[in-house]
């Protein structure tokens, strides 16, 4: 199981980013070991005029993530992640490592519906 955690930089000590589609980095963590599998620079989607959530969802899916930990999801991202069978959870954390620890201790909330409006709504 791979977990995608939105972040401001690469690595476990990186600051957690509450945004999904416009997060600067997507840190993929092994759900068993807690080690970083890869960190994906999300600059193209971070600066997108529109569709950042949908495109970031595609990146997450292609990276083989089974779960997303983030602060907020818009409607397009939510729909895409559901279609791709990727579970999403809301977490409040200071770092990627803390977000992972909160997931392991079940201190997360299921994000099965969008909790923010789309960028152009």
């Amino acid at each position: 199981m791979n977990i995608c955690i939105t972040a401001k930089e690469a690595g476990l000590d990186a600051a957690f980013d509450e945004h999904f589609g416009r997060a600067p980095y997507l840190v993929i963590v092994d759900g068993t070991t807690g080690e970083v599998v890869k960190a994906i620079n999300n600059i193209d989607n971070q600066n997108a005029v529109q569709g950042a959530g949908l495109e970031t969802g595609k990146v997450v899916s292609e990276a083989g993530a089974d779960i997303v930990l983030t602060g907020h999801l818009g409607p397009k991202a939510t729909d895409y992640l559901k279609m791709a069978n990727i579970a999403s959870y809301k977490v409040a954390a200071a770092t990627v490592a803390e977000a992972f620890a909160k997931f392991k201790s079940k201190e997360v909330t299921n994000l099965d519906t969008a909790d923010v409006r789309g960028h152009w709504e």
Side-chain angles (χ1 to χ4, degrees):
M1 163 180 62
N2 286 329
I3 301 171
C4 173
I5 303 172
T6 52
K8 297 192 182 290
E9 296 177 345
L12 290 173
D13 293 330
F16 177 75
D17 193 299
E18 290 189 2
H19 302 93
F20 176 70
R22 297 186 187 280
Y25 281 86
L26 305 167
V27 179
I28 309 298
V29 176
D30 182 292
T32 303
T33 67
E35 295 178 8
V36 174
V37 174
K38 67 174 101 174
I40 303 165
N41 185 321
N42 196 39
I43 190 82
D44 290 342
N45 295 323
Q46 182 186 17
N47 295 324
V49 175
Q50 64 180 17
L54 175 62
E55 293 303 317
T56 299
K58 290 177 184 177
V59 171
V60 169
S61 179
E62 290 169 6
D66 304 293
I67 294 169
V68 167
L69 302 181
T70 192
H72 303 284
L73 281 178
K76 291 178 187 174
T78 301
D79 290 346
Y80 184 84
L81 294 173
K82 279 183 181 178
M83 185 222 35
N85 293 315
I86 299 171
S88 54
Y89 297 92
K90 180 180 184 117
V91 62
T95 65
V96 169
E98 182 183 0
F100 178 75
K102 285 189 172 186
F103 174 76
K104 292 301 264 188
S105 64
K106 299 182 176 26
E107 296 176 60
V108 295
T109 304
N110 191 337
L111 264 175
D112 55 356
T113 59
D115 70 332
V116 293
R117 293 171 40 132
H119 186 69
W120 291 104
E121 289 183 20

